[in-house]
Structures are given as structure tokens and as C-alpha cells.
Amino acid sequence: MKAFAYVNPTTEQAAVEALRNGGIVRPLAGGQDLLARMKDYIDQPDRIVNVKNALDATISSTPDGGLRIGAAVKIIDLVEHAQTSTLYPAVTMAAKDVGSPQIRHQGTVGGNLNQRPRCWYFRQEEFLCFKKGGNRCFAVDGENQYHSIFGNSGPSKIVHPSRLAVPFVAYQARFRVASASGEREIPASQYFTLPTMETVQQENVLAADELLTHVILPAPGNLKSGHYEIRFKESRDWPMAFATVLLTTTGTTISAARVVLGAVAPIPWRSDAAERALVGKSLTAQTAIAAGEAAVRDARPLEKNGYKVQITKTAVERAILQAAGIQAA
């Protein structure tokens, strides 16, 4: 591992100041992603800024009835937070699915949202792909079983690895970002970026000297929620496809819907087609099936991941049934 300087700030301002002092600088929270990348020579920073003691690690209520979640909150604390479970059950369900108990006790909300892709070509030192400054995505003609089926017309075929990003987008969260020059709030739906030739080496809009400090969830209102994940094996595995579904109903009719897919695109993928298939319909098993079909209508699978079309359809259908309180057949 390359030698590096280590900075241990105790305030947010000191942390963001430390990020802009030149060279390759990386923030360290739980460390499970960054340290692995450094050991594999994917990242070789000149300086590491430990932000664990500088960022907020609490969850608090907002004046409008929502929640403000610090980026340094541990995943396990999010899982066990009663108010989060009551107001935003899909967030709790997603957090429970993160890794193993050890990972949930170490990983943070900010780290989960900002982790780098898990593509095996990106994670191998020998492959100089687009994500590492090369001129090729090896997944195009290679082992692409776990890669994207939506949003994959750009140079990189990765899927976004965050479990929490999907429900945060569905609940219309805002992300507070700080730098030495000030702060800004970004809608979660605009935080993550599709890969283009200009942006292929990043997955979000953060500048090099910016830190994600908080996730701000608005009051949810009267929503029915569902979150369904499909993995190759139940224990400690990455999802192959999952969905968060939020429904507003008037009587038995769906008046508004938000459907966001995970592990199928380079960003949390909002399915407008599935939402259109839901709005104005009765909340029934047949409606759930139709919405699942609509969700994958525009899927563009690669050579070896066509199976993802079917399991994505199933994830959407099951999330809707969960939201409706209908037992899956």
C-alpha cells in the first residue's frame, strides 16, 4: 500500500478544509470500501481524512415532521431507530439487508451512499477500465451477469451498489453537502450520475472538496410502502435486483406512485412506466403484475444478464403486493 498522510479532524469545517489541500485526498468513514480499494491498488491517495469524528452521527426530527440523518450514522443505528421504522419503513428494510451484522455495525449512511461500483473489472488492478481512466468497459464483451439492464447506453455498464440510495430517492430525500466555500442541498434523484465520457470516473455530483453530511427526509404523509430484494443467496450477498414502491391511495384506487429500482442501472432507476401503470388503478394483484411488466418494457439486457428482466419484474410486483398487504401467490 502506498504511504499516505492521515488527518483526523473533529469538526465539519476542519474536515472540508482538509479535503482541499491538494493531491489525491479521500474521506474515511467506516472504511470498508476505501481500505479495500487501497489494498487492491484501485485507490492510492496522498492523504486520508478521517471524517468519523467530524460528521454528525445522530438522527433527529425536522420541523416539518421529517428526519435529518447524519452521514456518520452507523447502518445498525438506522436499522434500530424506531422513528425511521415508523415513518420510512422501506429505509429500515433496505438497511436491514446491508451486508452482515459486522458490516452494519461498521458501515455508515454516507459510506453506503458513496461507495464505488462492485464491478469485478473495476475492482481488479489488472483491468484499466473507463472507471480508472482507461478506454474500455470490459463488461461489454466479458462477464456481465450482474451488470445493468437500464441506463447502459453510456461507456460504463456498472450498477449502483447502494441499498439505501433507492428508498432515499423514492422518499424524495435531499442530501446536504458541505465544502470549505459553503453548503448546498441536492435532491437525492439528482445526486447520482449516469456515466458519460465526461463523468465516467464518478458516480455522483460531489466535487473533490465536498462532503455529504446529512440525508434530509421530508414528512412522508400517508403512504403505503414496499421494498423487495432478490439475491442469489439469502446470506450476505449483493442484490441482483430490488425495488422500493411508495403508493398514495384514495379508497382502493392508487392516486400517486413512486417506483425506484436498484442493482439494475448505474443510478437508482425510477420507473415512470411502472408508475403510470399504477396510477388510477385499483390496488390489486393484477395491477401489481401489470406494473411489473411495464417496469421492464424498456430494459436492454447485455449478453449474460437477461435473467435480470424477469427478476426485476418480480421485485416490482412483490414490492407492490407488500405495500398493499396482499400475500404473494
Side-chain angles (χ1 to χ4, degrees), residues 12-323:
E12 178 186 296
Q13 186 60 34
V16 294
E17 288 285 353
L19 288 177
R20 68 171 188 171
N21 286 337
I24 300 173
V25 187
R26 296 287 184 267
L28 172 72
Q32 295 169 108
D33 186 16
L34 176 62
L35 296 182
R37 298 199 315 268
M38 290 171 64
K39 290 176 182 178
D40 291 334
Y41 302 100
I42 307 306
D43 261 86
Q44 298 187 54
D46 301 304
R47 183 187 304 107
I48 289 178
V49 180
N50 175 23
V51 300
K52 288 190 291 291
N53 302 315
L55 297 184
D56 187 7
T58 66
I59 303 173
S60 57
S61 298
T62 61
D64 71 347
L67 288 181
R68 182 180 175 94
I69 303 170
V73 167
K74 298 287 181 66
I75 303 295
I76 188 61
D77 294 329
L78 186 64
V79 170
E80 296 177 349
H81 191 259
Q83 198 174 4
T84 301
S85 180
T86 299
L87 295 176
Y88 312 97
V91 171
T92 300
M93 286 186 277
K96 284 180 178 178
D97 284 334
V98 173
S100 64
Q102 295 90 336
I103 289 171
R104 292 191 290 274
H105 277 78
Q106 180 72 13
T108 63
V109 170
N112 186 272
L113 292 170
N114 291 317
Q115 65 188 295
R116 301 299 308 279
R118 299 289 165 174
C119 170
W120 38 41
Y121 295 111
F122 172 70
R123 295 280 168 165
Q124 287 289 328
E125 179 189 2
E126 292 82 6
F127 292 96
L128 185 61
C129 68
F130 278 124
K131 284 282 176 190
K132 293 182 286 190
N135 58 7
R136 179 181 175 188
C137 176
F138 292 88
V140 173
D141 300 311
E143 299 299 325
N144 51 40
Q145 297 93 307
Y146 302 118
H147 289 72
S148 52
I149 61 172
F150 297 102
N152 57 9
S153 60
S156 177
K157 314 304 178 185
I158 61 116
V159 297
H160 199 274
S162 174
R163 295 304 219 294
L164 298 180
V166 169
F168 283 154
V169 170
Y171 281 112
Q172 298 180 298
R174 303 187 313 280
F175 293 168
R176 178 184 179 269
V177 169
S179 70
S181 58
E183 62 180 74
R184 58 180 176 142
E185 286 188 8
I186 306 165
S189 60
Q190 297 176 23
Y191 183 79
F192 305 100
T193 56
L194 283 168
T196 66
M197 291 306 297
E198 291 73 29
T199 64
V200 69
Q201 293 187 57
Q202 61 194 72
E203 290 81 49
N204 57 55
V205 298
L206 280 181
D209 65 342
E210 287 185 314
L211 275 176
L212 172 65
T213 67
H214 293 87
V215 175
I216 304 163
L217 288 162
N222 187 22
L223 292 174
K224 297 180 185 296
S225 61
H227 182 88
Y228 195 87
E229 179 174 311
I230 298 174
R231 288 171 279 179
F232 183 76
K233 58 183 183 293
E234 282 299 309
S235 176
R236 306 180 191 179
D237 203 5
W238 297 97
M240 296 186 291
F242 65 102
T244 294
V245 172
L246 303 179
L247 305 175
T248 303
T249 57
T250 304
T252 60
T253 301
I254 302 166
S255 55
R258 290 197 290 276
V259 178
V260 185
L261 312 178
V264 294
I267 60 174
W269 191 260
R270 187 164 178 182
S271 178
D272 294 332
E275 293 173 3
R276 289 194 299 270
L278 289 167
V279 174
K281 306 296 193 306
S282 296
L283 188 46
T284 64
Q286 290 72 29
T287 299
I289 292 170
E293 295 279 357
V296 297
R297 195 171 295 142
D298 295 327
R300 296 291 181 268
L302 304 172
E303 181 183 358
K304 298 178 182 178
N305 68 357
Y307 72 94
K308 275 197 171 192
V309 175
Q310 178 59 48
I311 65 172
T312 301
K313 184 193 310 182
T314 299
V316 172
E317 178 186 335
R318 296 288 177 86
I320 295 167
L321 293 176
Q322 188 183 90

